[in-house]
Each structure stands twice: as C-alpha cells, then as structure tokens.
Amino acid sequence: MSETVAAAIISVSGAVLVAIVSIITQLFITKAVIRAERDKLLTQLHGEESSRAREKRRDRIIDAISELLAKSDPQISPGVDYGRVVSLIHRVQLLLNLDRPNEAALNTALNQIGIQLQEYVFVQHKPIDDKLAETKSLLNAQSAVSDITRTIIAGG
C-alpha cells in the first residue's frame, strides 16, 4: 500500500472515530440535559400542586369557619343551629395540622366554642338578662376562633 493511501485511510479512520466519539458524547449530554429539564419540570409541577392543595385547604377552612361563626352567633338569630355548628367544628378539625402551633391553637379554640355553645343552648330561649354570662362566653370563644383564623390566613 502506498503511503498516500495509508495516510488517507488513517485520516478517514481518525475522522470517523472523532465523529463517533462526538455523537456518543452528544447523546450523553443531551440525555443529561433532558433528564435535568424533566426533573426541573417535575419539581415545578409538584410545587404548583402543593400550592393548589394548600390554597384549597385554606379556602375550605375559611368557608367552614365563616359559616360556623355565623351559625353560632347569638346576635344573628335567637336560636343557634347546634347540630350544624358541631358538624362545622368537626370539619375544620379534620383539616387542621396539629403539628403547627397556630392550627393546634385553633383546634383548642374550636373545642372551647363547642363547650360554650353547649352552655348557651340551654339558656338560648331565656331573656337576654338571664343569659348574659353564657352569651358573653360564647362571643369570647367566637372572637378567639376568629383571631386565630386570621393569623393562619395571614400565613402565621
């Protein structure tokens, strides 16, 4: 074989080898970039899903607390819907994460409003002068629930 042919074969072989190495390298790099982008998208989607779930939970708590405060308010109507209020207390309690201090405090305040409501139910049909203590206790319990709920809504 002549030197020119050998040089050409070596040159072509080198070029083919460089092309093969380049293709393999590019495949690995592309695969790594695609994996990184996929992981980034999955992280973003998970974050958005978690955010939506937190927002939905927060909205459910707000709706239930709003109705609970309205149904248990002796100033709105003379008769308190005791069964509905207890149901709303349970609904909110099921949504709470007791590992969070503010939500644990809300749970305690909900228990207190339930206790005060039990005391108020027995005197709700009496004249206002005969049920001042019970009315005041119930309104104070409502105020505590309202204050803690505002703290939770504000992100605390």
Side-chain angles (χ1 to χ4, degrees):
M1 214 188 319
S2 72
E3 288 183 19
T4 309
V5 173
I9 290 174
I10 291 173
S11 295
V12 169
S13 298
V16 169
L17 184 61
V18 168
I20 290 172
V21 169
S22 294
I23 289 172
I24 292 172
T25 303
Q26 190 170 5
L27 286 174
F28 283 123
I29 290 172
T30 303
K31 188 175 180 180
V33 167
I34 290 171
R35 184 180 304 121
E37 287 297 318
R38 186 191 71 208
D39 291 347
K40 189 168 99 175
L41 283 172
L42 287 175
T43 301
Q44 182 180 357
L45 288 173
H46 180 69
E48 289 173 4
E49 181 181 332
S50 295
S51 178
R52 279 192 304 273
R54 277 191 308 275
E55 191 68 27
K56 183 177 178 181
R57 178 180 162 275
R58 189 182 131 236
D59 289 346
R60 290 176 69 193
I61 290 173
I62 290 170
D63 290 344
I65 292 289
S66 297
E67 186 178 350
L68 182 148
L69 292 173
K71 295 284 185 185
S72 66
D73 193 337
Q75 296 173 325
I76 291 177
S77 65
V80 173
D81 188 352
Y82 181 75
R84 181 67 182 150
V85 172
V86 170
S87 174
L88 290 166
I89 289 172
H90 291 157
R91 179 182 300 169
V92 174
Q93 287 176 325
L94 289 172
L95 293 170
L96 296 177
N97 178 352
L98 300 181
D99 293 331
R100 296 179 179 157
N102 283 336
E103 293 186 28
L106 180 57
N107 185 58
T108 301
L110 289 169
N111 288 333
Q112 190 61 34
I113 202 170
I115 291 168
Q116 296 307 320
L117 190 62
Q118 283 178 340
E119 292 177 8
Y120 182 80
V121 166
F122 292 112
V123 297
Q124 68 182 337
H125 298 295
K126 291 184 177 182
I128 190 68
D129 292 337
D130 295 338
K131 59 182 179 182
L132 283 176
E134 292 84 358
T135 302
K136 184 177 178 183
S137 295
L138 180 57
L139 292 174
N140 285 336
Q142 283 184 321
S143 178
V145 167
S146 181
D147 291 345
I148 296 168
T149 301
R150 272 195 295 278
T151 303
I152 292 171
I153 292 170

